[in-house]
Amino acid sequence: FEEWKDKVAVPVAAIKALTSLIEETKEGTMMGLEIELRAAADELKKYATASRSSSLCSLAAGCELFLRYVTRTSALLDLTRKDIKEIKRILVERGRDFAELSMNSRSKIATVE
């Protein structure tokens, strides 16, 4: 999170951090991965609260959107035909796409006249 928070909007930094967690985790089940992601999102929110960040609401929103996105994505995947490595690969790819979409949307909103 620290790596991105000064370069992109806080919600996008949260999405990138959670996507990185999916890449790095050793978790072997989808349920375990969701639990780990929720715990990481809670830690990001605690960090924002402790630092008295004015971006707590946007951070929380970014985390929640990403968690819902991951949950929805996992429900759409045929889990009986894919192993957890393949599922993680798909989630990372979609997480990166989600972060890119979020960054592009922010730019478009900023330029609307």
Side-chain angles (χ1 to χ4, degrees), residues 35-67:
I35 291 168
E36 196 170 333
L37 284 168
R38 288 197 184 281
D42 289 344
E43 286 301 314
L44 287 172
K45 292 178 215 172
K46 284 180 193 173
Y47 168 81
T49 301
S51 65
R52 299 180 185 258
S53 173
S54 62
S55 55
L56 176 59
C57 287
S58 60
L59 174 83
C63 288
E64 287 304 313
L65 282 171
F66 185 80
L67 292 171

Side-chain angles (χ1 to χ4, degrees), residues 21-22 47-49 54 62 94 99 105:
L21 176 80
I22 295 171
Y47 168 81
T49 301
S54 62
R94 292 187 55 139
S105 295

